[in-house]
Amino acid sequence: MSSKSVVTIERHIIEAERQFPEATGAFSSILYDVAFAAKMIAREVRRAGLADVLGYTGEVNVQGEEVKKLDEFAHEVIFKALDHTGHLCGMASEEVEDFISIPDRFPTGKYCVLFDPLDGSSNIEANVSVGTIFSIHRKVSDHPRGCVEDCLQPGYKQVAAGYVVYGSSTMLVYTTGNGVHGFTLEPSIGEFLLSHPNIRIPSPGQRIYSVNEGNYGKWFPGQQRLVDHLKGQDGGPQKPFSARYIGSLVADFHRNLLYGGMFMYPADAKSPNGKLRLLYEAAPLAMIAEHAGGRASDGTGPINQIMPRSLHQRTPLYIGTTEFVQMAEQFLAEDRTVEPEAVSIEAIAAGV
Ligand code: AHG
Ligand code: MN
Ligand code: MN
């Protein structure tokens, strides 16, 4: 038998908490509850191929009950795992428009949790990896039961962040600022076991870029030049990068975290802020990337320095191996130094 000890996520969280004698256990308990919700979601995701058979279609089933879609189901599981614990002053979810208050019948606490319950949900029918992303902040408002201000905090203030990837196995990866640690679900005993302690983005690692290149024609010139460069199409001496794009942010990010690489979701003429959400997607993954030795940027600077103005704010995202993200920032900066093209009086008069 191996001499390595088996560490459950519960044990890992408790050991980490011991380093803070003043800790009340509230924070550990939130992490544990998120891990519990992840197991519930993993179980449903495993049965997703049976959606039509079992009726998980978002429509009314034969009993006349409305059957939830998987992303709404995932939202509810997380909400219900956390609403009654007394540790939270509120939540925010990609699936809900406004700040989510704790029901009046439950006590409140000093943290808030923000989450993308099911990331990459359009992939679910095709049996492709999906995920859950979460972010934890300390309560900062004076409101006795919390308010939106508690969620609208810049990423560098996160006290923990993590994600779950429902792939060939289910993995939970999280950081509290003291290393990035990955756990794999052992389904037969229902426990997350420490499988990837102290994850670091390999450097030098693999040269991978992940982007929806179908949008090339809409991109700004700097983004186009960057991708041309990564492909070695600009006459540079470098060996081309490999392209890998799943279309599930969590899965694309996870692969690049383990192998090396950069995920991009740029701004373009149609979506000047890109597609991804700052608070539910970019900021938590940025915390993980940074604590694994990587970088996350909106193309101009660190994601986690952005002061959010609204819950569902979007941001361009460049995340992964530090030197690749810095290279992206340099290419994009060139666009900003180019003088805007002179616009002719005739063009203005013609309303162009
Ligand atoms: P969600 O399923 O939470 O709405 O997120 C989908 C996101 C993200 O997972 C992925 O990276 C991106 O959408 C893919 O977008 P495109 O289809 O535009 O490439
Ligand atoms: Mn998402
Ligand atoms: Mn989602």
Side-chain angles (χ1 to χ4, degrees), residues 30-276:
I30 297 167
L31 283 174
Y32 191 68
D33 292 337
V34 170
F36 172 73
K39 286 191 242 178
M40 301 270 290
I41 298 168
R43 194 190 62 178
E44 282 322 291
V45 166
R46 293 277 162 260
R47 302 184 333 162
L50 298 166
D52 285 342
V53 182
L54 299 177
Y56 290 92
T57 56
E59 283 155 18
V60 175
N61 70 9
V62 281
Q63 282 89 33
E65 301 155 344
E66 182 159 343
V67 184
K68 296 250 172 305
K69 283 189 178 160
L70 217 48
D71 39 13
E72 289 167 23
F73 169 84
H75 164 84
E76 255 188 57
V77 167
I78 300 174
F79 173 73
K80 285 190 176 149
L82 293 168
D83 68 343
H84 58 284
T85 60
H87 300 314
L88 299 191
C89 65
M91 294 180 234
S93 161
E94 195 203 56
E95 293 297 319
V96 175
E97 189 70 21
D98 300 315
F99 172 75
I100 305 169
S101 306
I102 299 299
D104 288 343
R105 60 186 186 283
F106 299 130
T108 56
K110 56 182 181 182
Y111 294 98
C112 63
V113 174
L114 298 87
F115 53 95
D116 178 354
L118 204 66
D119 173 67
S121 46
S122 66
N123 278 322
I124 194 103
E125 303 291 317
N127 218 339
V128 172
S129 299
V130 291
T132 292
I133 314 175
F134 64 93
S135 159
I136 307 180
H137 276 285
R138 218 168 253 119
K139 178 177 189 289
V140 286
S141 75
D142 297 334
H143 194 289
R145 291 181 66 85
C147 66
V148 69
E149 190 190 326
D150 297 306
C151 291
L152 293 180
Q153 300 190 56
Y156 71 86
K157 292 200 167 160
Q158 289 170 108
V159 289
Y163 63 84
V164 185
V165 55
Y166 310 100
S168 42
S169 53
T170 298
M171 261 193 87
L172 188 152
V173 176
Y174 84 100
T175 184
T176 56
N178 190 13
V180 174
H181 308 288
F183 300 78
T184 302
L185 183 64
E186 162 48 275
S188 65
I189 53 170
E191 289 280 5
F192 278 109
L193 304 178
L194 182 62
S195 52
H196 295 64
N198 261 313
I199 300 174
R200 307 287 300 167
I201 296 194
S203 178
Q206 291 189 22
R207 290 146 52 85
I208 292 175
Y209 77 97
S210 316
V211 71
N212 184 344
E213 216 167 329
N215 293 329
Y216 188 96
K218 290 193 283 176
W219 290 343
F220 295 115
Q223 176 67 31
Q224 292 179 332
R225 282 197 308 274
L226 168 65
V227 170
D228 293 346
H229 178 72
L230 297 175
K231 298 199 292 189
Q233 281 183 342
D234 58 355
Q238 71 160 356
K239 206 172 127 243
F241 277 52
S242 291
R244 296 282 184 274
Y245 192 69
I246 298 168
S248 284
L249 171 63
V250 166
D252 277 310
F253 174 78
H254 181 67
R255 181 204 50 242
N256 294 354
L257 180 71
L258 297 185
Y259 296 171
M262 169 170 60
F263 174 94
M264 306 176 255
Y265 211 109
D268 62 43
K270 257 185 151 176
S271 315
N273 296 314
K275 173 181 182 183
L276 300 175

